Amino acid sequence: MTLDIKFRVAREQDLDRIVEMLADDELGRKRERFEKPLPESYQKAFQAISDDPNNELIVACMGNKVIGVQQLTFIPYITHQGGWRATIEGVRTSTTERGQGIGTLMIEWAIQRAKERGCHLIQLTTDKQRPDALRFYEQLGFKATHEGLKMKLV
Amino acid sequence: MTLDIKFRVAREQDLDRIVEMLADDELGRKRERFEKPLPESYQKAFQAISDDPNNELIVACMGNKVIGVQQLTFIPYITHQGGWRATIEGVRTSTTERGQGIGTLMIEWAIQRAKERGCHLIQLTTDKQRPDALRFYEQLGFKATHEGLKMKLV
């Protein structure tokens, strides 16, 4: 079976569905607030992303249904002879659509998009509490060459 | 002894010195090209960073001498209730000024700047080939909770 998945930039009316997916997850439910109406902070972040040509919030759609989300950030760096990088964050697929290879299509799309944007590298960090995610990314060709360090500020 | 280090946004005339520091490093010498004039790609990246309000290339100065560099990127995300993050990349101090605590001052400055920008989190990845760097960041309060995954695209 071939999956008929389309990718596009997220619209404001997708935001409820995006937060619903982000919250429907073991780690996500501890840190997101899926309520109607959504907390205003989501709306503000959506606007900031939409206004920034180096950020793209991308949804995967099956027909009219949004079944996946990921955010891409393109960053110019001095390192690597002034090379651009793409960072992937907030990757989530619908829990009801798992196991069909949608995640793979999403990351392959992200890699293609990063190449279009002239990036020499694509990167992400994945929580060490998600060993399945690590295997998933390694199978797609990512190398876990780095430690991903975080510090909470609030 | 109190270190008299000042921080400021990098200027175009600092670029030679910045690349010199990035190249003066075991991993850096494999991937940078410190030549005069510099390859044009460095200049283009410098311009892209300068034009982007969410990117800041910061130098640490002792008197008139540039002795450290780091790049900060501020990113709005939908995750964490629409929270902004700061990412640190390309941290380097002058090899002739090591062991004085300059690196610590630089990262403390970055943390303060991230707070000013309203970030809830500050993050970076460090190459697993640099165990000293990992210890350095952990001592400053970073937690190695994530795997840092990379894929080369060229």
Side-chain angles (χ1 to χ4, degrees):
Chain A
M1 193 189 76
T2 308
L3 280 170
D4 188 18
I5 307 286
K6 298 263 191 305
F7 293 89
R8 61 170 171 78
V9 172
R11 300 169 191 142
E12 200 168 335
Q13 56 264 41
D14 300 320
L15 194 54
D16 276 358
R17 174 67 181 139
I18 289 168
V19 176
E20 183 182 14
M21 286 190 293
L22 292 173
D24 185 17
D25 167 87
E26 198 180 338
L27 300 179
R29 77 184 88 252
K30 297 175 191 164
R31 59 195 183 205
E32 305 302 341
R33 277 176 62 199
F34 177 53
E35 303 164 0
K36 292 191 180 183
L38 285 177
E40 199 189 359
S41 56
Y42 286 113
Q43 189 61 48
K44 283 185 177 171
F46 180 85
Q47 201 55 53
I49 293 165
S50 300
D51 291 347
D52 184 345
N54 289 334
N55 271 289
E56 294 181 358
L57 185 65
I58 302 296
V59 287
C61 302
M62 196 182 272
N64 288 324
K65 201 176 165 197
V66 171
I67 54 154
V69 64
Q70 60 187 341
Q71 183 173 338
L72 307 182
T73 307
F74 308 103
I75 310 175
Y77 282 120
I78 299 294
T79 51
H80 292 266
Q81 300 183 34
W84 284 70
R85 296 188 192 192
T87 296
I88 312 177
E89 167 61 26
V91 180
R92 206 74 86 245
T93 53
S94 169
T95 49
T96 55
E97 311 288 344
R98 295 270 164 87
Q100 299 180 56
I102 295 165
T104 299
L105 290 179
M106 286 172 61
I107 301 303
E108 287 174 348
W109 191 91
I111 292 167
Q112 195 50 43
R113 183 72 186 123
K115 288 179 181 173
E116 281 172 19
R117 289 282 306 234
C119 296
H120 71 96
L121 191 85
I122 188 165
Q123 62 184 13
L124 58 91
T125 65
T126 183
D127 198 304
K128 289 178 182 174
Q129 295 177 69
R130 300 191 198 268
D132 290 352
L134 175 61
R135 274 191 295 275
F136 166 74
Y137 290 117
E138 286 183 329
Q139 278 166 8
L140 286 167
F142 285 86
K143 307 283 181 202
T145 51
H146 286 61
E147 292 284 348
L149 293 149
K150 315 264 171 177
M151 185 195 292
K152 289 180 188 172
L153 301 177
V154 287
Chain B
M1 192 191 76
T2 309
L3 281 172
D4 187 19
I5 307 287
K6 299 263 190 305
F7 294 89
R8 61 170 171 78
V9 172
R11 300 170 192 140
E12 200 167 335
Q13 56 265 41
D14 300 320
L15 194 52
D16 275 359
R17 174 66 181 139
I18 289 169
V19 176
E20 184 182 15
M21 286 190 293
L22 291 174
D24 185 15
D25 168 87
E26 197 180 338
L27 299 179
R29 78 183 86 251
K30 296 176 192 164
R31 58 196 185 205
E32 306 301 341
R33 276 176 63 198
F34 177 54
E35 304 165 358
K36 294 193 180 184
L38 284 178
E40 199 188 1
S41 56
Y42 286 113
Q43 190 60 49
K44 283 187 176 170
F46 180 85
Q47 202 54 54
I49 293 165
S50 301
D51 291 347
D52 184 344
N54 289 333
N55 271 290
E56 294 180 357
L57 185 66
I58 303 296
V59 289
C61 301
M62 195 182 272
N64 288 325
K65 200 176 166 198
V66 170
I67 53 154
V69 63
Q70 60 187 342
Q71 183 172 339
L72 307 182
T73 307
F74 308 102
I75 310 174
Y77 283 120
I78 299 294
T79 52
H80 292 266
Q81 301 184 34
W84 283 72
R85 298 187 191 191
T87 296
I88 313 176
E89 166 63 26
V91 181
R92 206 74 85 246
T93 54
S94 168
T95 49
T96 56
E97 311 289 343
R98 294 270 164 88
Q100 301 180 57
I102 295 165
T104 299
L105 291 179
M106 286 173 59
I107 301 301
E108 286 172 348
W109 191 92
I111 292 167
Q112 195 51 44
R113 183 71 186 125
K115 288 179 180 173
E116 282 172 17
R117 289 283 305 235
C119 295
H120 73 96
L121 191 85
I122 188 164
Q123 63 185 12
L124 58 90
T125 65
T126 182
D127 198 305
K128 289 177 182 173
Q129 295 177 70
R130 300 190 197 269
D132 291 352
L134 175 62
R135 275 191 295 274
F136 166 74
Y137 289 117
E138 286 183 329
Q139 278 165 9
L140 286 167
F142 285 86
K143 308 283 181 201
T145 51
H146 286 61
E147 291 284 348
L149 293 149
K150 316 264 171 179
M151 185 194 293
K152 289 182 188 172
L153 300 179
V154 287

